[in-house]
Amino acid sequence: MSLLGASLATFAAAQQLTLSPSLATPGQVVTASLFNDTGGLLAVADTCEATLLWHSGELAEGLLVLGQACDALVAISAGQTHTWQFLAPSSPGTFLATFDPAIGNRAVARLDVTAASASPQQLAFFPKGIHFPHSAHQADFSDPASLPWQLSNVGTAAHTFGPNDRIEITVPGGTQVLRTLSLDTLLVGAGKAVDVYLPIAGLTPGPYTVVAIFQDPGTGGEVRTRAGIQQRASRVDLHRMGRRSIAIGETTEFGFTLAGFP
């Protein structure tokens, strides 16, 4: 079975995520509800696995979950629902909320802040570990299966990708396509997500550009999502949430990470 086929095989086990309200004002408290429709016990990492993104796959403002401890494991029985609350971003826009449980596939939902977009992008492509921004874009080129990325659908209908939908690998700034992965016939259910694996087999370790190209049913046009990957190695990273403006006299927090050091 191909890696793409393997992700399709696990699609049946998924959860349902709903947000209330789905149209919020900046800073408003939003209630998220995760329903277990897998038919079995679902263990989840309570808050650390909740992520809010722009549709480009860029992290939004920090998702502040209220009243719960990070990494508290919660077991949700079949047919049961777990709820938690978080603050909507202070910036207007359309966001993708995703929940990555310890067992089962991701559940996703759309959150509009201030005003709903008339033609919102419904599909998003980003690293599965995006809630760890310092390591999400790292690849082990000796093990291509170590790099799962996520395709999410926040639309109200299932989506099947077409023959021109694909993922391409190029060198940074280059135009020559080194590897291509077709997404043709890949099905993503409404409010669901599936894994795909980047076509990096045989590439020399180094920095590359990943481009996902697909027709989006929400916008009705072609979407191109670009991201970078690099070889996993020892390094120091400074990182912060995307699209955060810093006014004169204001301060902001940065993450500081040492990776791969003994």
Side-chain angles (χ1 to χ4, degrees):
M1 179 181 291
S2 68
L3 292 174
L4 188 57
S7 69
L8 286 171
T10 61
F11 171 67
Q15 332 14 278
Q16 297 175 7
L17 179 67
T18 56
L19 304 178
S20 180
S22 58
L23 175 57
T25 56
Q28 182 177 358
V29 174
V30 178
T31 298
S33 300
L34 183 68
F35 175 70
N36 178 5
D37 64 359
T38 64
L41 189 66
L42 176 67
V44 301
D46 194 7
T47 61
C48 289
E49 305 301 334
T51 309
L52 203 62
L53 306 102
W54 299 86
H55 280 282
S56 62
E58 184 181 19
L59 277 171
E61 275 184 63
L63 183 62
L64 178 60
V65 179
L66 307 177
Q68 298 186 27
C70 189
D71 281 339
L73 292 180
V74 175
I76 309 175
S77 300
Q80 299 300 306
T81 299
H82 176 64
T83 62
W84 71 97
Q85 293 182 316
F86 65 91
L87 297 180
S90 59
S91 301
T94 297
F95 301 88
L96 180 147
T98 178
F99 197 87
D100 192 0
I103 300 174
N105 291 340
R106 268 73 53 221
V108 298
R110 170 186 168 188
L111 175 67
D112 290 298
V113 177
T114 300
S117 173
S119 299
Q121 184 177 324
Q122 293 182 9
L123 305 175
F125 175 71
F126 50 89
K128 184 176 178 181
I130 193 64
H131 48 285
F132 299 118
H134 55 280
S135 60
H137 295 265
Q138 292 184 53
D140 181 355
F141 285 81
S142 65
D143 181 14
S146 69
L147 197 64
W149 282 48
Q150 180 172 322
L151 281 164
S152 298
N153 176 15
V154 295
T156 57
H159 178 75
T160 301
F161 287 89
N164 295 323
D165 298 331
R166 61 199 184 276
I167 297 170
E168 296 180 347
I169 304 291
T170 66
V171 296
T175 58
Q176 180 183 2
V177 178
L178 304 177
R179 297 287 189 277
T180 301
L181 174 66
S182 174
L183 300 175
D184 190 21
T185 72
L186 176 63
L187 171 68
V188 186
K192 308 297 184 184
V194 296
D195 287 349
V196 295
Y197 291 82
L198 301 186
I200 62 173
L203 290 178
T204 301
Y208 293 94
T209 298
V210 181
V211 187
I213 305 167
F214 51 82
Q215 293 293 319
D216 187 87
T219 64
E222 183 180 87
V223 171
R224 290 176 176 255
T225 297
R226 292 180 179 271
I229 55 174
Q230 62 181 358
Q231 172 65 25
R232 182 174 291 118
S234 300
R235 64 184 201 296
V236 180
D237 281 339
L238 289 174
H239 53 88
R240 66 182 182 88
M241 296 300 177
R243 304 195 186 194
R244 178 72 168 90
S245 298
I246 307 174
I248 295 175
E250 185 184 7
T251 61
T252 190
E253 292 184 354
F254 283 79
F256 179 75
T257 303
L258 298 173
F261 288 89

